[in-house]
């Protein structure tokens, strides 16, 4: 790629530290089972990691597991050794019984520790795989070996961190004190990565909230912020606080710690404990806290005032509202600060290698530095906008401007439209609504988008007010961010009326901000069939190429997942059609994909008059463990779908997975990498792929997208694939900048979120908004339905 025109070679620093050596030839893996000998079979398993580690260590001290070789136990299921412990065993299993006085919870019982031979890994094969001298055929074997090394490294690092009450080990370096009920500490994580350039340890520092108050009541006061908001225990605020207290470990009246499951529905003054009022059982509860709900102890029906729940310092498992926003804001570090933190982590890792008995037993050595790897910066593409033959080049941050320019292809003139205000006239009067409409028409005209009427009809309506089906567009002014109201508007418009809608918040309708108006005009243009800009054509999209993208969303109000598929319906890959399909809950791999592909190909042929010669499939949201399933199920389904259209029809197929959820980060010195930076040298061994930073990070360190090539029948070279993905990142039509991923992937992602609104019954009546109530009697449960025929071939979801 370095030889491509305009490409600049640079060096970047990754959040990796290179593994110099692993002296041990083998990693022996043993399966560990720890049970309470005196408990029933249902509750015999010891599950908490800190308890399992304590009992396993006791077993090592009291029995001859296999000589004096150091053993690393992950606290869950497996133990690791550099030597074969089982050579001294009578068979493949070793057992012993132990008692311990080091824990009050465990002191009264006897436990059985059983260790069984599981498997052996060859570390030389791992290094040979990185250099290409050999391959590891099984992905499960590679994952197993890397998981084993992860566990060994992680335990060595934890020894240098500070333990907290819940058994975790954190770093207080550059910790941040807050008045939100917690301090921000750092959870250092490590992940082994076998890449083309060698074996690396990926270093991750994640911000975690560590409690800094003594009771749950103090935490509640800080969470609620204003005492008067806590007077009503039925307030939605308490619903949010449920997340905070759920899983919290507390001590009640000096007794052993228990875990909380949530909050009661009623106030403490209305509840009883063991036959008497709660406020009598727990003295000293302040008068205002008597109106608060009580905490519920997990696994029991016991209820306890928040005032009586004492907290040891621990990580808050779940927080919401303004507390979560505060944590997110504090966790975003400037590139220079993040680079310093990662370098500190690399030095800690080198120290752990020198001091940890486990890492020393395996001869694990790192260089104590962040790895420097080669990268390339792609030239920013020249974009086509309007008027015809107008060209624009984005700036160094990936932004381009339409000032004095127009969209490339305006939609047909909008003739019939209306404004519906879902708020009172006191909040937005008729005159104010018309002023907003006039601003919208003016802003659209500056972009070349034609709207016939500057004075559309304005209605002040309830959410159930009918919308005329003869309209092309309805602009809906919403008083708040209510998901239920927004969802019902979209459901009715998309599934029943076949009318485009554009929602806008009340404060934006009153504000008349030029950027907001431009954004609305761009969205309206693309919904009605317009095109904002186009990137230069590439060989990768010639001859007739259909861009196909898919995403699966599991966050829905239906209790089911949503599959969203979009595909181009012109030869320039500028306009897209789509479909939404209901899917089994939490299932990522798409079922019946062949039927979707058949439909997509028929729509493509209807609009272009031809079948595609090539298909470029971009897939979002797939984890490492699911890659083989996508290759086996979805790619074969695409081939079957093509055959369903016409026997023997087999277009060339290139399939690429885009992954955003990974830990790779790259910096150029103490700054973010330039827009368009591509890294190919630290992708997984024996994998074709690349990291790409297509966007400018507004805050913190830019997160690259990791692209993995599953199939390349189109025979696109690595530079061509990178250039294709990068240029498509500039064509997202509702913003004038490069976005994180190709526009078609954003369409699929956006549709998977919008598609969940296409329900058969009123959206605001779904269980998520009706207290979990399901339809009574034999009423059909809600399900997803397709878009209205008038919208099916449009980008209504933008």
């Amino acid at each position: 790629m370095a030889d491509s025109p305009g490409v600049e070679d640079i060096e970047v620093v990754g959040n990796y530290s290179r593994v110099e050596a692993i002296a041990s030839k083998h990693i022996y893996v043993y399966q560990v089972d720890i049970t309470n000998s005196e408990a029933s079979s249902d509750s015999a398993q010891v599950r908490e990691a800190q308890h399992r580690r304590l009992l396993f260590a006791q077993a090592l001290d009291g029995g001859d597991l296999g000589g004096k070789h150091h053993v690393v136990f992950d606290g869950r299921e497996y133990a690791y050794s550099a030597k074969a412990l089982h050579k001294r065993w009578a068979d493949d299993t070793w057992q012993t019984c132990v008692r311990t006085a080091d824990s009050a919870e465990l002191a009264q019982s006897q436990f059985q520790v059983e260790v069984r031979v599981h498997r052996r890994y060859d570390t030389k094969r791992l290094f040979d795989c990185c250099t290409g001298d050999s391959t590891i055929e099984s992905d499960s074997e590679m994952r197993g070996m890397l998981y084993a090394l992860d566990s060994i490294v992680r335990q060595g690092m934890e020894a240098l961190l500070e333990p907290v009450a819940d058994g975790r080990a954190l770093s207080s370096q550059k910790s941040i004190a807050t008045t939100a009920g917690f301090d921000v500490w750092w959870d250092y994580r490590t992940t082994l990565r076998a890449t083309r350039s060698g074996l690396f340890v990926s270093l991750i520092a994640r911000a975690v909230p560590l409690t800094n108050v003594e009771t749950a009541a103090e935490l509640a006061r800080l969470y609620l912020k204003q005492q008067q908001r806590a007077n009503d225990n039925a307030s939605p605020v308490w619903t949010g606080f449920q997340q905070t207290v759920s899983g919290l470990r507390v001590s009640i009246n000096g007794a052993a710690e228990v875990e909380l499951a949530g909050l009661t529905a009623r106030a403490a003054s209305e509840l009883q404990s063991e036959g008497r009022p709660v406020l009598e059982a727990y003295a000293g509860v302040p008068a205002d806290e008597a109106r608060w709900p009580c905490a519920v102890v997990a696994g029991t029906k016991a209820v306890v005032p928040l005032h009586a729940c004492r907290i040891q310092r621990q990580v808050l498992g779940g927080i919401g509202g303004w507390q979560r926003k505060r944590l997110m804001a504090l966790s975003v570090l400037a590139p220079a600060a993040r680079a310093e933190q990662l370098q500190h982590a690399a030095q800690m890792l080198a120290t752990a290698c020198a001091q940890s008995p486990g890492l020393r037993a395996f001869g694990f050595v790192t260089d104590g530095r962040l790895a420097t790897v080669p990268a390339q910066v792609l030239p920013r593409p020249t974009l086509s906008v309007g008027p015809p033959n107008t060209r624009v080049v984005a700036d160094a941050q990936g932004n381009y401007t339409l000032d004095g320019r127009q969209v490339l292809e305006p939609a047909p003139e909008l003739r019939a439209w209306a404004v519906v205000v879902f708020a009172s006239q006191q909040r937005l009067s008729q005159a104010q609504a018309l002023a907003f409409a006039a601003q919208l028409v003016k802003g659209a005209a500056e972009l070349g988008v034609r709207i016939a009427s500057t004075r559309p009809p304005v209605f002040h309506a309830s959410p159930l007010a009918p919308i005329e089906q003869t309209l092309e567009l309805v602009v809906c002014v919403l008083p708040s961010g209510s998901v239920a109201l927004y969802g019902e508007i979209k459901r009715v418009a998309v599934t029943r009326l076949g009318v485009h809608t554009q929602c806008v918040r009340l404060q934006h309708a009153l504000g008349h901000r030029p950027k907001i108006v431009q954004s609305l005009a761009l969205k309206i243009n693309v919904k009605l069939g317009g095109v904002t800009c186009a990137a230069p054509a590439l060989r990768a999209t010639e001859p007739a190429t259909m861009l196909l993208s898919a995403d699966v969303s599991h966050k829905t109000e239906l209790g089911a997942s949503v599959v969203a598929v979009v595909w181009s319906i012109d030869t320039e890959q500028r306009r897209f059609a789509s479909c939404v399909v209901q899917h089994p809950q939490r299932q990522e791999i798409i079922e019946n994909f062949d039927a979707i592909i058949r439909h997509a190909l028929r729509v493509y042929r209807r609009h272009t008059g031809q079948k595609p010669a090539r298909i470029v499939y971009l897939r979002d949201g797939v984890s490492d463990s699911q890659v083989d399933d996508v290759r086996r199920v979805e790619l074969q389904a695409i081939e079957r779908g093509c055959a369903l259209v016409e026997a023997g029809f087999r277009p060339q197929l290139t399939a690429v997975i885009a992954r955003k959820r990974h830990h790779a980060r790259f910096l150029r010195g103490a700054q973010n990498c330039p827009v368009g930076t591509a890294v190919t040298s630290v992708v997984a061994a024996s994998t074709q792929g690349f990291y790409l930073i297509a966007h400018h990070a507004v805050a913190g360190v830019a997160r690259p997208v990791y692209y993995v090539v599953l199939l390349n029948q189109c025979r696109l070279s690595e530079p061509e694939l990178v250039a294709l993905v990068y240029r498509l990142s500039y064509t997202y039509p509702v913003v004038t900048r490069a976005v994180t991923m190709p526009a078609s992937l954003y369409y699929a992602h956006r549709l998977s979120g919008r598609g969940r609104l296409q329900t058969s019954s009123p959206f605001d009546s779904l269980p998520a908004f009706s207290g979990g109530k399901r339809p009574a009697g034999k009423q059909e449960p809600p399900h997803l339905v397709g878009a209205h025929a008038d919208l099916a071939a449009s980008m209504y979801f933008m």
Side-chain angles (χ1 to χ4, degrees):
M1 191 163 72
D3 297 331
S4 302
V7 173
E8 177 189 359
D9 290 325
I10 63 171
E11 286 191 336
V12 297
V13 174
N15 62 329
Y16 304 103
S17 187
R18 184 181 295 275
V19 179
E20 299 287 344
I22 301 176
S24 174
K25 293 182 179 180
H26 301 109
I27 303 172
Y28 293 90
V29 185
Y30 297 89
Q31 200 163 10
V32 179
D33 188 42
I34 302 177
T35 56
N36 187 334
S37 305
E38 300 168 7
S40 64
S41 58
D42 293 339
S43 58
Q45 281 288 340
V46 179
R47 303 191 183 281
E48 294 197 17
Q50 60 265 40
H51 291 165
R52 292 177 66 84
R53 284 178 173 160
L54 179 63
L55 293 168
F56 186 78
Q58 194 84 8
L60 290 184
D61 292 341
D64 186 6
L65 181 59
K68 297 181 179 179
H69 308 305
H70 189 83
V71 181
V72 176
F73 180 44
D74 64 6
R76 291 179 290 277
E77 189 175 4
Y78 297 108
Y80 309 96
S81 173
K83 301 294 182 181
L85 306 177
H86 56 282
K87 287 185 177 180
R88 301 178 59 178
W89 301 355
D91 53 29
D92 287 347
T93 302
W94 177 87
Q95 292 181 346
T96 188
C97 292
V98 297
R99 290 184 179 273
T100 180
D102 295 337
S103 169
E105 293 182 60
L106 307 177
Q108 304 303 317
S109 301
Q110 177 175 282
F111 299 88
Q112 178 174 294
V113 179
E114 181 177 280
V115 182
R116 295 184 298 275
V117 177
H118 182 62
R119 69 171 302 159
R120 186 188 76 177
Y121 293 116
D122 186 342
T123 57
K124 184 176 183 301
R125 287 190 65 200
L126 184 59
F127 281 97
D128 289 347
C129 182
C130 293
T131 58
D133 294 337
S134 72
T135 60
I136 296 177
E137 299 297 335
S138 168
D139 283 345
S140 62
E141 181 181 357
M142 172 69 84
R143 287 197 298 269
M145 194 181 308
L146 294 176
Y147 178 83
L149 290 170
D150 279 345
S151 300
I152 296 164
V153 172
R154 195 168 298 156
Q155 191 168 114
M157 284 282 284
E158 285 179 356
L160 302 179
L161 301 174
E162 300 179 41
V164 295
D166 58 1
R168 298 170 68 172
L170 305 174
S171 172
S172 60
Q173 197 224 16
K174 295 189 179 297
S175 62
I176 305 168
T178 79
T179 57
F182 60 83
D183 295 333
V184 177
W185 283 36
W186 299 97
D187 184 8
Y188 282 176
R189 296 293 182 91
T190 56
T191 305
L192 268 289
R193 289 187 57 82
T195 76
R196 300 175 192 172
S197 300
L199 187 63
F200 293 89
V201 179
S202 176
L203 302 165
I204 307 106
R206 188 171 65 93
V208 294
L210 194 66
T211 56
N212 61 5
V213 294
E214 294 184 356
T215 67
E218 293 178 66
L219 192 62
R221 286 191 186 280
L222 291 170
Y223 180 84
L224 300 169
K225 293 191 73 173
Q226 298 175 351
Q227 186 176 333
Q228 61 268 29
R229 294 180 64 187
N231 288 339
D232 178 13
N233 63 296
S235 167
V237 175
W238 286 113
T239 304
F241 191 62
Q242 289 261 18
Q243 298 177 356
T244 303
V245 299
S246 182
L248 197 67
R249 296 189 64 85
V250 299
S251 174
I252 302 168
N253 292 339
E257 283 191 343
V258 295
E259 186 175 309
L260 300 183
L263 298 173
T264 59
R266 293 187 295 162
S269 59
E270 303 172 11
L271 297 170
Q272 292 197 344
S273 175
E274 298 180 353
R276 57 177 179 155
V278 166
L279 298 182
E280 290 183 12
Y282 298 92
V285 177
D288 61 330
E289 293 182 20
R291 296 189 293 271
W292 291 7
C294 285
V296 179
V297 178
T300 72
K301 296 183 179 179
V303 295
V304 185
L306 298 178
H307 182 80
C309 297
R310 303 198 66 80
I311 302 173
Q312 280 191 315
R313 200 151 218 209
Q314 61 191 280
V315 175
L316 286 174
I319 55 176
W322 68 272
Q323 280 185 320
R324 180 170 180 79
K325 291 179 181 178
R326 183 77 181 278
L327 175 65
M328 297 298 292
L330 294 172
S331 65
V332 176
L333 299 183
R338 184 66 76 181
E340 181 183 349
Q341 184 183 62
L342 292 173
Q343 182 56 52
H344 172 70
Q347 292 168 351
M348 280 185 62
L349 176 60
T351 302
C353 291
Q355 296 180 3
S356 166
L359 289 171
R360 290 176 62 186
F362 286 91
F364 201 97
V365 180
T366 63
D367 61 5
R369 301 192 305 270
L370 296 177
T372 299
V373 296
Q376 295 79 36
V377 180
L378 280 66
R380 297 185 294 279
T382 301
L383 304 174
S384 300
V385 295
N389 300 319
T390 302
R391 302 289 185 268
V392 61
V393 179
D395 61 21
Q397 295 184 344
N399 301 313
Y400 66 94
T401 177
L402 289 176
D403 293 346
R405 305 181 183 93
Q406 297 178 350
V407 297
L408 178 63
E409 297 181 20
E413 184 178 34
L414 175 60
R415 295 185 175 277
W417 69 298
V419 177
V420 178
V421 182
F422 292 88
S424 66
Q425 295 201 37
Q426 287 75 20
R427 300 186 68 183
L428 187 73
S429 66
Q430 191 90 353
Q432 289 173 315
L434 287 172
F436 163 67
Q439 287 290 327
L440 182 57
V441 172
K442 178 183 176 183
E446 292 173 356
L447 297 175
V449 180
R450 295 166 298 164
I451 301 178
S453 173
T454 59
R455 292 180 62 84
V458 176
F459 305 98
H460 285 77
S462 71
L464 299 179
I467 297 174
E468 293 184 36
Q469 201 165 352
T470 56
L471 297 174
E472 299 173 69
L473 173 75
V474 177
V475 176
C476 302
V477 182
L478 307 185
S480 67
S482 168
V483 175
L485 173 59
Y486 175 84
E488 180 62 6
I489 291 171
K490 291 293 184 180
R491 184 190 74 86
V492 171
V494 171
T495 65
R496 290 174 50 189
L497 302 180
V499 175
H500 289 291
T501 55
Q502 180 59 57
C503 294
V504 58
R505 294 283 288 272
L506 177 63
Q507 63 265 37
H508 296 321
L510 290 169
H512 299 176
R513 291 171 55 192
K515 284 189 176 181
I516 297 294
V517 172
Q518 183 187 76
S519 176
L520 293 172
L522 291 176
K523 289 181 179 180
I524 292 170
N525 183 59
V526 71
K527 286 177 180 179
L528 299 178
V531 177
T532 301
C533 72
L538 293 169
R539 189 189 76 84
T541 55
E542 300 171 355
T545 300
M546 184 175 82
L547 278 182
L548 173 72
S549 295
D551 192 13
V552 181
S553 174
H554 306 294
K555 296 181 179 179
T556 72
E557 292 77 7
L558 276 174
S561 296
V562 175
V563 172
V565 182
V566 301
W567 60 92
S568 58
I569 53 174
D570 58 4
T571 55
E572 295 86 12
Q573 298 87 38
R574 297 176 183 175
R575 295 179 175 87
F576 288 76
S578 63
C579 72
V580 174
V581 179
Q582 186 167 322
H583 209 233
Q585 190 170 17
R586 307 303 302 176
Q587 181 173 313
E588 183 64 38
I589 306 305
I590 302 174
E591 290 182 344
N592 302 319
F593 201 29
D594 50 354
I596 297 174
I597 296 301
R598 177 179 59 182
H599 171 66
L601 290 169
R602 288 174 174 173
V603 174
Y604 180 90
R605 184 162 58 181
R606 191 183 311 137
H607 282 81
T608 64
Q610 61 182 322
K611 299 189 299 293
R614 301 197 294 188
I615 297 175
V616 176
Y617 178 41
L618 302 177
R619 178 66 155 90
D620 190 16
V622 178
S623 67
D624 278 341
S625 62
Q626 296 168 324
V627 168
D628 285 344
D629 293 332
V630 171
R631 185 183 287 113
R632 176 177 53 83
V633 178
E634 295 183 13
L635 299 195
Q636 291 182 12
I638 293 176
E639 294 179 356
R640 290 197 305 273
C642 293
L644 290 173
V645 172
E646 183 178 298
F649 174 49
R650 297 194 65 177
Q652 295 175 337
L653 173 63
T654 290
V656 182
I657 287 176
R659 294 188 56 209
K660 303 182 295 294
R661 294 184 179 180
H662 58 79
H663 300 301
R665 300 291 186 274
F666 301 101
L667 292 162
R668 192 178 189 183
Q671 297 180 339
N672 267 318
C673 294
V675 169
T677 297
V679 180
T680 61
S681 58
V682 289
V683 299
S686 70
T687 297
Q688 183 185 0
F690 53 91
Y691 292 95
L692 178 64
I693 303 173
H695 66 293
H696 170 70
V698 177
V701 176
R703 175 183 295 185
V705 177
Y706 181 31
Y707 295 94
V708 179
V709 182
L710 297 185
L711 184 67
N712 192 8
Q713 294 176 346
C714 300
R715 298 181 181 179
L716 302 177
S717 66
E718 189 174 83
E720 287 176 320
L721 275 172
V722 175
L724 172 64
V725 169
Y726 182 48
R727 294 188 184 192
L728 291 175
S729 300
Y730 278 87
T731 59
Y732 193 56
V734 297
V735 294
T736 55
R737 66 175 185 274
V739 292
T740 309
M741 301 183 298
S744 62
L745 274 176
Y746 259 110
Y747 298 154
H749 179 73
R750 189 178 182 97
L751 179 60
S752 68
R754 298 294 186 272
R756 79 185 204 281
L757 310 177
Q758 296 175 205
T759 56
S760 57
S761 56
F763 188 76
D764 52 5
S765 70
L766 295 179
F769 305 105
S770 59
K773 296 179 181 178
R774 297 282 179 181
K778 296 183 179 180
Q779 185 178 346
E780 184 182 13
H783 58 273
L784 289 185
V785 296
H788 193 280
D790 293 346
L791 301 181
S794 71
M795 297 174 68
Y796 67 90
F797 49 85
M798 294 302 294

